[in-house]
Amino acid sequence: MLEADPRFAEFVAERGDALLRYGYVLAGNPHDAADLVQEALLKLRGAWPRLRSKENPESYARTTMARLHIAVWRRRRRELLAWELPEGAHHDALPSGDERRMWQALAGLPRKQRAVLVLRYYEQLDDAEIADVLGISRGTVRSQASRALDKLRAAIPTEQLTRGNVR
């Protein structure tokens, strides 16, 4: 059994919400986001004794979350997932207007394309860092980003967006 380390508990208390927000942007829904955070924190807890001297354990957690997200995509790429239950679906409230359309378009992207965009624009990683995190080549990063942006542009033409509403 691992000894309790108060620094790990402090890290979770301080950065847990930020990791959950990152998971939401990465996964596109709050349930998968919570799963990603929980699995990443379990892995981080196991590696905590080796990370004590490192300055940024959050980087380890975020990288783990991105890799877990892609691993799920790889396992499920042949499955057709249906998120809505037959007896009726519950939808969390989304922002209104342009932001809602943008979130819906982002959620509609394939997992790998969404992961590349999140790492590029939310985490502000360059292509080499994204390739390292996802275990793919730089060329694949660029092609996935290009395809994802093309799909977003097609889903929401620029002239439909209200100036200043989408960040």
Side-chain angles (χ1 to χ4, degrees), residues 35-36 39 43 67-81 111:
D35 289 345
L36 284 174
E39 288 183 48
K43 291 183 181 292
R67 288 182 177 163
L68 288 168
H69 175 70
I70 291 301
V72 169
W73 173 81
R74 286 180 177 149
R75 283 193 305 266
R76 294 182 180 170
R77 72 176 135 188
R78 290 190 179 98
E79 295 178 19
L80 178 60
L81 299 178
R111 295 174 76 85

Side-chain angles (χ1 to χ4, degrees), residues 144-160:
Q144 291 294 309
S146 176
R147 289 178 187 146
L149 292 172
D150 286 345
K151 287 180 182 182
L152 290 177
R153 286 183 194 109
I156 306 174
T158 309
E159 56 273 0
Q160 287 183 5

Side-chain angles (χ1 to χ4, degrees), residues 25-162:
V25 172
L26 191 61
N29 70 68
H31 308 293
D32 288 344
D35 289 345
L36 284 174
V37 171
Q38 184 176 15
E39 288 183 48
L41 289 176
L42 284 171
K43 291 183 181 292
L44 178 60
R45 178 64 182 106
W48 192 257
R50 296 186 310 271
L51 294 173
R52 285 184 187 167
S53 64
K54 291 192 177 182
E55 294 295 318
N56 191 2
E58 187 171 356
S59 175
Y60 179 94
R62 287 176 182 249
T63 299
T64 301
M65 289 170 66
R67 288 182 177 163
L68 288 168
H69 175 70
I70 291 301
V72 169
W73 173 81
R74 286 180 177 149
R75 283 193 305 266
R76 294 182 180 170
R77 72 176 135 188
R78 290 190 179 98
E79 295 178 19
L80 178 60
L81 299 178
W83 292 106
E84 296 181 9
L85 299 175
E87 62 269 2
H90 169 73
H91 297 284
D92 291 329
L94 293 172
S96 61
D98 294 337
E99 288 181 355
R100 186 181 83 248
R101 287 196 308 250
M102 186 62 74
W103 278 109
Q104 289 171 340
L106 185 63
L109 293 175
R111 295 174 76 85
K112 189 181 280 188
Q113 290 177 8
R114 187 170 56 233
V116 167
L117 289 185
V118 167
L119 292 171
R120 179 178 281 177
Y121 296 106
Y122 186 78
E123 288 296 307
Q124 299 180 352
L125 299 181
D126 63 30
D127 289 349
E129 293 168 320
I130 295 169
D132 184 50
V133 167
L134 299 180
I136 57 178
S137 71
R138 286 186 194 174
T140 301
V141 169
R142 288 189 294 273
S143 68
Q144 291 294 309
S146 176
R147 289 178 187 146
L149 292 172
D150 286 345
K151 287 180 182 182
L152 290 177
R153 286 183 194 109
I156 306 174
T158 309
E159 56 273 0
Q160 287 183 5
L161 296 176
T162 306

